[in-house]
Amino acid sequence: FFSIFALFLLVAGVISIASCERVGTMLFGRISLDNTSVSEVNLLLQMSIDGGIETGDRLRTPQNSSNYIRGVLWAISVGIFGGSILAPMHYADDQGLMFLPSFGIGAILTAPLVLLVHFLCTKEVPAFHWKEALLPGISSGVIYNAGNALSMMAISSIGYYVAYPILQCAILVSGVWGICLFREITNRKSIIAFFIGGFTLLMGGLLLVLSR
């Protein structure tokens, strides 16, 4: 029961972080027009006339809503594939860092396949922008594989069912990057809701460790 409750907190924390704008509105209420200037009211009215709906920090038009739904579906797919990345390691005779070279070979073989699927779906060859993307891409690859190596060490030490749910706390780090660096969320209520979800996520991870 303790483990189930910990997993529930993890899921609740992830949902709260991913939906921090809506959660912030539910917890703290919508923007009050009593303290809104006439020009701001006129701007909101014009947005509604133009077909946009103000939600949280960004204007969501019907087209943006479609992109949002598509993004959510892609994110769910990432969760399914990402949560299963290291599951095949269970069937290897030996586990740990010795699994990393074959993992890299799989990544190398998959990259051209992804580009082929992209071309078949869009009939366009993606622009690679070597000059702008080479160094950031290599840096991201190094960080990503460092995380994979540590994930393998963690799974070898404490098991998949404990280690991998805790590793999903990475969503909290990604969210902090989004708030502090990319300024994707600026509304104070949404940020508070985000950190409430982050605290819930961390508590779930802690309880999962203690339940072992």
Side-chain angles (χ1 to χ4, degrees):
F1 176 78
F2 207 58
S3 299
I4 295 175
F5 181 65
L7 290 174
F8 171 78
L9 288 180
L10 284 170
V11 173
V14 170
I15 294 175
S16 180
I17 289 174
S19 307
C20 61
E21 294 179 358
R22 292 188 178 184
V23 173
T25 299
M26 292 171 58
L27 293 177
F28 306 109
R30 298 184 180 277
I31 298 175
S32 175
L33 294 180
D34 295 337
N35 298 324
T36 306
S37 65
V38 175
S39 60
E40 290 173 331
V41 172
N42 290 333
L43 178 59
L44 291 175
L45 290 174
Q46 186 62 42
M47 287 176 176
S48 63
I49 293 173
D50 293 338
I53 302 174
E54 182 70 23
T55 57
D57 302 321
R58 292 180 292 276
L59 176 66
R60 183 168 297 164
T61 62
Q63 182 180 2
N64 288 338
S65 297
S66 176
N67 291 334
Y68 179 81
I69 293 173
R70 190 182 301 111
V72 170
L73 292 177
W74 287 124
I76 292 174
S77 301
V78 171
I80 295 173
F81 286 103
S84 306
I85 286 177
L86 297 179
M89 188 174 68
H90 175 75
Y91 299 99
D93 294 333
D94 296 310
Q95 299 184 10
L97 292 180
M98 63 185 311
F99 192 70
L100 191 60
S102 58
F103 180 90
I105 294 173
I108 292 174
L109 295 176
T110 305
L113 180 61
V114 172
L115 291 176
L116 177 61
V117 172
H118 174 82
F119 174 75
L120 294 176
C121 293
T122 64
K123 304 301 182 183
E124 297 179 356
V125 178
F128 293 103
H129 302 286
W130 292 106
K131 184 177 180 180
E132 296 83 1
L134 182 60
L135 184 58
I138 292 176
S139 301
S140 295
V142 170
I143 295 172
Y144 176 75
N145 281 289
N148 283 328
L150 294 174
S151 299
M152 295 172 188
M153 294 173 63
I155 291 173
S156 299
S157 299
I158 60 178
Y160 196 92
Y161 88 100
V162 175
Y164 218 80
I166 296 175
L167 296 175
Q168 303 315 305
C169 292
I171 188 177
L172 178 60
V173 178
S174 300
V176 171
W177 278 112
I179 293 174
C180 299
L181 182 61
F182 302 112
R183 301 293 180 182
E184 294 179 339
I185 302 175
T186 56
N187 184 280
R188 183 180 301 176
K189 296 176 181 179
S190 300
I191 293 175
I192 293 175
F194 171 87
F195 282 106
I196 291 175
F199 177 77
T200 305
L201 185 71
L202 293 176
M203 288 300 299
L206 178 61
L207 291 178
L208 193 61
V209 172
L210 296 177
S211 67
R212 188 171 184 267

